[in-house]
Amino acid sequence: MEKTRITIVAVTCIALFFLTNYLFRYLIGFTGLLASLVIAALIAVYMSFSIARTLERLPMPEERSRALWIYGGFLGALFVAFGAWMFLDAGMDAVTLATLFVHYLPYPALAHSMLSDKAVGMFLKQDRPGG
C-alpha cells in the first residue's frame, strides 16, 4: 500500500513540474535558472510535506529511493528528450548541454535534500507534552 502512496506523490510532483513551469515561465514570464531553482524548491517542499502526511512517519530508505527514482527518472528522461530535440533542431554544443544539465539538477537534488529525516520530520505531527 505504501508503494502506491509513494508513487502517487511522485506522479503528483511530476504534474506539478509541468504546471508550475507553465505558470512561472509562460504566464508570469519568470524565466532562467532562478525560476528552475524556485520551482524545484517548491516541488521538493511539497514532496516532503506529502510524504510526511501520507505515511505519518519518516520514510524508509526504499520509500525515499522509490520517490526519488520515479520523480528524478521521469524528469531526467524528459530533459534527455528535450536535449535530443534541441540537437536535432539546431545542434548542441557543450554550453547548451551544460545549461540543460544545470536546469535539471536542482529538481532531484532539492527533492533528495527535502526527503531527509530532519526535513520530513518538520512536517510530522509531534506529540506535545501536557496537551
Side-chain angles (χ1 to χ4, degrees):
M1 186 67 165
E2 267 70 21
K3 282 184 178 181
T4 305
R5 291 178 181 174
I6 296 294
T7 303
I8 290 171
V9 169
V11 170
T12 303
C13 290
I14 292 167
L16 278 174
F17 168 81
F18 288 108
L19 292 172
T20 55
N21 271 290
Y22 179 73
L23 176 70
F24 273 63
R25 296 181 191 279
Y26 297 108
L27 296 181
I28 297 175
F30 182 52
T31 61
L33 183 58
L34 184 60
S36 292
L37 289 170
V38 169
I39 293 167
L42 290 172
I43 294 172
V45 169
Y46 172 79
M47 181 182 278
S48 181
F49 173 79
S50 295
I51 286 179
R53 293 301 175 170
T54 300
L55 297 177
E56 296 178 350
R57 60 173 169 77
L58 294 174
M60 294 187 300
E62 51 273 356
E63 294 167 337
R64 185 179 291 118
S65 176
R66 181 179 183 82
L68 290 172
W69 274 108
I70 292 171
Y71 175 67
F74 182 86
L75 293 184
L78 182 70
F79 273 82
V80 166
F82 182 65
W85 176 71
M86 287 174 45
F87 175 75
L88 291 174
D89 187 41
M92 186 179 305
D93 56 353
V95 174
T96 306
L97 186 62
T99 302
L100 190 65
F101 182 71
V102 166
H103 278 275
Y104 163 73
L105 191 61
Y107 293 98
L110 288 172
H112 176 69
S113 66
M114 286 303 295
L115 286 179
S116 68
D117 289 344
K118 186 175 181 180
V120 174
M122 291 187 313
F123 297 113
L124 290 174
K125 295 179 182 176
Q126 301 294 329
D127 292 332
R128 296 186 181 156

